[in-house]
Amino acid sequence: MPETTTPASPCTPEREAHSPARSTLWGRALGVLAWLSFLAETIIIGTGGAVRLTGSGLGCSEWPLCTPESLVPILEVDGIHGFIEFGNRLMTGVVGAIALAVVLLVLHHLGGRRALTSALWFALGGILAAAAAFAIASPFQIPAFPVASAVLLIAVIAAAVRAIRTVPARRDLMTLAWITLIGVVAQALVGGITVLTGLNPFIVGFHYASSLLLVCVTAAFLVRLRAVPGPRARAVPSWFAILSHVTGLALAVTIFFGILTTGSGPHSGDAEVFRHGFDATVLAHVHSWPGYVLAVLVLALTVAAWVLRLEPRKWLLVLVIAITVQVGVGVWQAREGLPPLLVGIHMVLAALSAATYTVVVLHLKKPVARED
């Protein structure tokens, strides 16, 4: 992220005084995992886009199994589409494992063995409760695995609430780490619902929007990991902060209409899936209007930030580049008839633009010295 210095340790000063070498080691490990989490969340948007853009959305017709008889796809039966869809499911496991590792490391780093042990007990309880829910739902012809997944999600949320309340140090890091893990578990459940509902375009759109938000959360974790802990004060004029948030609204509206446009276009994820019936041509124009407003706002913020030498100026320059490329790709794909590769690039760039905007917002404030 923007700082290039050694990350500030999220440990409390007392723990650093007792074990500085160990704190540095844990801090470096956490930094590596945080970057891997951000990259994995970005990559899974690309693999999810590949599933949709290659018509592989129902390559695995069941969930969590690929077919009623097999967990993994069979080339002779499911073809290449099954392997593309299953590859995205495997990527979900990778994302979840990294998110879990970040949570465990943060717990151990900030709360010690007691906080880590408590979370592991919650994990065991959640697994047992999910298994019980699966066993109870199965005889009644209720979708057992979605029920079990929902129970596990509730257990993860409960563990997060307890950890955040009982570990006072660096609650910003604790909260962001848990949000990522909860989001990954929820995304797995939403992904299953997407398959079971035959790629409902609204659920598919929600699935993408949720993945984009997780990219922003992991970007925020990277920024806060390197930030000095403690109280913060606004580092920019009030009008600049207001304009920055208006820019965020323009970005959200642009992404929203982009999702609707994609949901109306030719890439449904499967040849047999019907779209939600909106006119894709009209939506493409509607999607472009807030996009151009966004580009103007970002450019204005960037010029003002460099003239006034404000804190977020470097990352605003990155955002200008990202938005410019994004507009160029959007115009190109519209003129070429929405080729799958360009649509996929557009999807990933939208997530990276949103993540960059998140970094900009987090630089609107700066740490202030504490009074004794």
Side-chain angles (χ1 to χ4, degrees):
M1 302 320 291
E3 295 82 2
T4 56
T5 56
T6 303
S9 173
C11 282
T12 59
E14 291 79 5
R15 292 187 66 187
E16 289 180 344
H18 289 300
S19 180
R22 185 181 179 189
S23 296
T24 301
L25 178 62
W26 282 100
R28 289 177 179 174
L30 188 56
V32 171
L33 282 173
W35 269 109
L36 289 176
S37 182
F38 172 76
L39 292 174
E41 293 289 355
T42 304
I43 291 171
I44 200 170
I45 287 183
T47 61
V51 169
R52 182 173 186 172
L53 298 170
T54 59
S56 305
L58 295 178
C60 287
S61 59
E62 303 296 325
W63 182 79
L65 300 177
C66 183
T67 66
E69 298 81 20
S70 174
L71 173 64
V72 299
I74 302 172
L75 184 60
E76 293 78 8
V77 177
D78 304 302
I80 189 62
H81 295 304
F83 281 87
I84 293 174
E85 161 67 6
F86 190 73
N88 187 57
R89 295 187 184 189
L90 290 179
M91 189 63 202
T92 302
V94 173
V95 171
I98 297 174
L100 177 61
V102 170
V103 165
L104 295 178
L105 198 56
V106 168
L107 281 170
H108 189 278
H109 203 25
L110 300 178
R113 185 176 300 176
R114 183 176 181 179
L116 181 60
T117 302
S118 175
L120 292 176
W121 277 112
F122 260 97
L124 178 60
I127 292 172
L128 293 176
F134 186 91
I136 293 172
S138 295
F140 297 98
Q141 302 301 315
I142 300 174
F145 201 85
V147 171
S149 300
V151 171
L152 183 60
L153 176 60
I154 293 172
V156 174
I157 294 173
V161 172
R162 174 178 171 78
I164 293 169
R165 292 182 61 183
T166 56
V167 181
R170 294 306 305 268
R171 282 182 174 169
D172 54 343
L173 293 181
M174 184 74 71
T175 301
L176 291 169
W178 276 107
I179 288 175
T180 302
L181 180 59
I182 292 170
V184 171
V185 176
Q187 278 291 75
L189 179 59
V190 173
I193 295 173
T194 301
V195 173
L196 296 178
T197 56
L199 304 183
N200 180 288
F202 294 103
I203 298 179
V204 172
F206 175 77
H207 196 40
Y208 170 75
S210 303
S211 297
L212 183 147
L213 288 175
L214 286 178
V215 173
C216 295
V217 171
T218 52
F221 185 91
L222 280 166
V223 175
R224 296 299 297 153
L225 181 63
R226 291 178 174 270
V228 177
R232 303 174 68 79
R234 193 174 67 235
V236 298
S238 57
W239 64 265
F240 189 92
I242 293 172
L243 190 59
S244 298
H245 293 301
V246 171
T247 302
L249 178 61
L251 176 61
V253 172
T254 303
I255 292 173
F256 173 76
F257 281 108
I259 292 172
L260 286 182
T261 303
T262 304
S264 307
H267 304 297
S268 64
D270 189 88
E272 303 299 325
V273 173
F274 293 99
R275 313 318 304 272
H276 46 44
F278 298 137
D279 190 319
T281 303
V282 172
L283 276 177
H285 289 289
V286 175
H287 168 52
S288 68
W289 298 336
Y292 293 133
V293 172
L294 171 65
V296 172
L297 288 172
V298 171
L299 182 60
L301 284 172
T302 304
V303 172
W306 279 92
V307 170
L308 300 175
R309 299 191 63 79
L310 300 178
E311 177 67 23
R313 61 186 182 277
K314 294 180 180 179
W315 280 96
L316 276 168
L317 186 58
V318 175
L319 185 57
V320 165
I321 296 172
I323 296 298
T324 302
V325 175
Q326 182 73 324
V327 170
V329 172
V331 173
W332 187 11
Q333 70 172 4
R335 290 183 175 179
E336 295 296 325
L338 303 179
L341 179 60
L342 290 180
V343 175
I345 293 173
H346 201 55
M347 292 170 61
V348 175
L349 283 176
L352 292 177
S353 298
T356 306
Y357 172 77
T358 301
V359 176
V360 169
V361 170
L362 290 176
H363 281 78
L364 296 178
K365 291 186 176 182
K366 63 180 179 180
V368 295
R370 294 183 180 180
E371 296 181 0
D372 293 335

